[in-house]
Amino acid sequence: FDETQRRTIPELVKRTAESIAAASGATAQVEATVNGTITYNDPALVDRMRPTVERVVGSKDRIASGPPTTTSEDFSLYQQRVPGIFIFLGVTPPDADPKQVAPNHSPKFFVDEQALPIGVRLLSSLAVDYLSAPRPRATATEQR
């Protein structure tokens, strides 16, 4: 979850593979690329938009802040320009154990479609509330 460490890992893997190969009298060729960047929820934006999320989902009990994940999304490229929030909607059927269901991108993945209208309401409400909020006044210097 650290950008510097993320960029260092390919070189460490390369050096390790080459050293292990050399110790065995062989060679190794490693090519690795670093794509994308870290998907990061801006804490100030999360705090600002939390009331909207709570209103749309109807209960604080239905909201969870999870641990950091290694989610890799193109969305992170937008977040380099503007603060953003990446939200997991939660589409596991209510009678299923989230730890036992098939993960995203699996051919066995199943979406409880009852979550989709909530997702649409949530995203549209976040946009409306964000855009409707009062803007800080520009200073005289910024107005020029």
Side-chain angles (χ1 to χ4, degrees), residues 19-143:
S19 296
I20 291 171
S24 301
T27 61
Q29 185 176 12
V30 177
E31 294 180 30
T33 57
V34 177
N35 296 320
T37 186
I38 297 167
T39 304
Y40 170 77
N41 282 349
D42 181 77
L45 186 58
V46 169
D47 289 343
R48 177 178 168 188
M49 302 314 298
R50 186 178 308 279
T52 300
V53 176
E54 291 172 359
R55 184 184 79 244
V56 172
V57 301
S59 169
K60 290 180 181 181
D61 296 338
R62 297 181 68 193
I63 301 169
S65 295
T69 67
T70 55
T71 302
S72 177
E73 287 284 338
D74 293 345
F75 183 74
S76 65
L77 299 174
Y78 296 113
Q79 291 177 310
Q80 288 182 329
R81 301 257 183 195
V82 294
I85 303 172
F86 191 90
I87 297 173
F88 288 97
L89 183 56
V91 295
T92 301
D95 59 341
D97 178 356
K99 294 178 182 170
Q100 299 297 319
V101 298
N104 295 358
H105 310 291
S106 161
K108 295 181 181 182
F109 179 64
F110 178 79
V111 172
D112 178 5
E113 293 182 1
Q114 293 181 35
L116 299 181
I118 294 169
V120 171
R121 270 196 311 274
L122 179 57
L123 291 177
S124 54
S125 295
L126 286 166
V128 168
D129 289 358
Y130 180 85
L131 294 170
S132 300
R135 303 274 184 267
R137 293 184 60 151
T139 64
T141 306
E142 291 172 330
Q143 291 175 357

